[in-house]
Amino acid sequence: MSVPPASSPPAASGRPLRVVIAPDSFKGTASATQAAAALAAGWSAARPDDIVVTVPIADGGEGTLDVFAAAVPDARREVLEVTGPDGRPVPGAAWLALPDGSALVELAQASGLPLMRGLDPLHAHTIGLGQLIGAALAAGARGVLVALGGSASTDGGTGVLRALGARFLDAAGQPLPPGGGALADLAAVDLRGLPAAPPEGIRCLVDVAAPLLGPTGAAAVFGPQKGAGPADIARLEAGLARLAELMPGTGSASMPGTGAALADQPGTGAAGGTAYGLAAALGATLVPGARTIAERAALPAALAEADLVITGEGRFDATSLTGKVVGGVLTMAEQAGVPALLVAGRVDGPVPPGVSAAVALVDLAGSPANAIAEPGRWLTLAGTRLADTSHQSAPAGRLLRQ
């Protein structure tokens, strides 16, 4: 992202500032909603006359459903028990019924890595996500948004499709066991049992540009995060390649291999190839997660009236500017001409020139352990620290420390 040199935050000029707080979650410590509330409390403690608007954001990973629930009036949670990524039941998974007749389904609710008892890269699957999508379709959803982030598996979306009625068969015509490790033995794909896509289609919210296959693909890049060693990665890659070779593609049940054309497309490697499976079998489209969620949360409208914006995440580094929430918010702030401030658990990369000041929670807390133990406390202090500097001349990219 290209950001021009920053101006300093607006000075107090006898009128309240309008401050928009739009963070991502601080993974494992605070949701986006919790982070926004803590930052707002800290800012308001230092500048009680300012108008503070919280717009928590997600990029399609964990917390997306909560962000939508907070941003969309009359959204309704529908809770059900699904099969988790290691086969154990997940009783509290939910999908969100939206007032426009569409549904939001979050992979992390049903098939996320934290739901695993232990890492199992070859056998973990996405069946639970398919059960959530199936429930939304059965309820009459006109369209489905699928938030793809935090996956425990590399099964190419076969778990999702299996739950919806597809069959993945070996050479003897028997169903393969779940998980990406079995796909190397795939001999046939039968999509005839799948339901029709909803009238407004399926859209996958993705925050990565990885293709399905190759050195930048689902197995090679994200497999290690799910416990895959070199031999596991090779087997998963072979299985995904076999899936792409045999996948018929939407509306082409008699034409094996039609789905191969999608395998090199950016984003199809998201969530262990789940984006690929949904695109190839159900015609799903892939859309940028952070930007789509920000628009649904009315962040552009909030920025149009803002004097400054605060964004943040658990760890800021070079990847933060490539499709994630912070990069998306900074781009939108640049386009709106709004100065930006940054809060992160850690700041492990150069602060962009468009950011007037940044605060790292580990600096405020004295150590990563302290920051993780009391995230609300340090986020509140970070909000106060940034508010205290809002009337000062802050050099572009200045990192504020204790």
Side-chain angles (χ1 to χ4, degrees):
M1 182 192 69
S2 175
V3 184
S7 59
S8 297
S13 58
R15 66 170 180 85
L17 301 180
R18 189 173 184 89
V19 182
V20 172
I21 299 179
D24 193 358
S25 65
F26 284 58
K27 297 292 190 292
T29 60
S31 69
T33 301
Q34 292 168 334
L39 289 167
W43 185 281
S44 295
R47 296 179 58 90
D49 294 332
D50 287 350
I51 301 167
V52 178
V53 178
T54 59
V55 187
I57 304 295
D59 57 13
E62 182 180 359
T64 299
L65 187 140
D66 291 335
V67 167
F68 264 76
V72 180
D74 299 323
R76 186 180 71 254
R77 290 176 188 263
E78 299 288 352
V79 180
L80 70 153
E81 181 175 293
V82 299
T83 303
D86 59 4
R88 294 180 300 128
V90 178
W95 61 277
L96 199 66
L98 301 173
D100 64 0
S102 65
L104 173 74
V105 177
E106 179 187 304
L107 178 146
Q109 290 266 328
S111 306
L113 190 59
L115 298 174
M116 298 286 290
R117 179 173 286 162
L119 298 178
D120 191 356
L122 297 181
H123 302 104
H125 56 72
T126 53
I127 289 174
L129 175 63
Q131 292 169 332
L132 286 181
I133 294 173
L137 294 176
R142 294 189 53 78
V144 180
L145 278 172
V146 185
L148 295 180
S151 171
S153 64
T154 310
D155 73 351
T158 53
V160 173
L161 300 175
R162 181 192 304 262
L164 292 172
R167 298 198 305 157
F168 299 90
L169 309 173
D170 63 17
Q174 297 301 307
L176 292 175
L183 293 177
D185 298 322
L186 182 65
V189 176
D190 181 357
L191 303 183
R192 290 174 295 179
L194 288 177
E200 296 174 6
I202 297 173
R203 290 188 294 158
C204 296
L205 305 178
V206 301
D207 65 346
V208 300
L212 179 68
L213 302 172
T216 60
V221 175
F222 302 109
Q225 300 173 6
K226 303 166 188 180
D232 298 325
I233 292 171
R235 183 168 182 83
L236 292 168
E237 178 76 9
L240 293 175
R242 184 65 173 160
L243 177 65
E245 179 183 351
L246 294 176
M247 181 66 82
T250 305
S252 304
S254 64
M255 298 173 59
T258 305
L262 288 172
D264 295 330
Q265 296 300 309
T268 53
T274 300
Y276 169 81
L278 288 170
L282 289 170
T285 57
L286 311 185
V287 297
R291 180 80 192 195
T292 301
I293 295 168
E295 290 173 353
R296 291 295 293 262
L299 180 59
L303 289 176
E305 300 179 352
D307 291 304
L308 60 87
V309 61
I310 301 172
T311 190
E313 62 183 339
R315 176 180 176 178
F316 177 85
D317 58 24
T319 68
S320 300
L321 306 180
T322 57
K324 296 188 177 182
V325 166
V326 167
V329 173
L330 292 180
T331 296
M332 295 171 76
E334 173 194 355
Q335 293 168 347
V338 177
L341 306 175
L342 173 69
V343 178
R346 301 179 63 97
V347 177
D348 290 337
V351 177
V355 175
S356 299
V359 173
L361 301 189
V362 294
D363 292 333
L364 297 181
S367 72
N370 289 342
I372 291 171
E374 297 182 279
R377 173 186 176 185
W378 303 114
L379 283 162
T380 300
L381 181 58
T384 300
R385 184 64 55 86
L386 289 173
D388 285 340
T389 66
S390 66
H391 65 284
Q392 300 173 1
S393 178
R398 177 183 174 192
L399 179 60
L400 303 180
R401 299 188 183 275
Q402 180 72 20

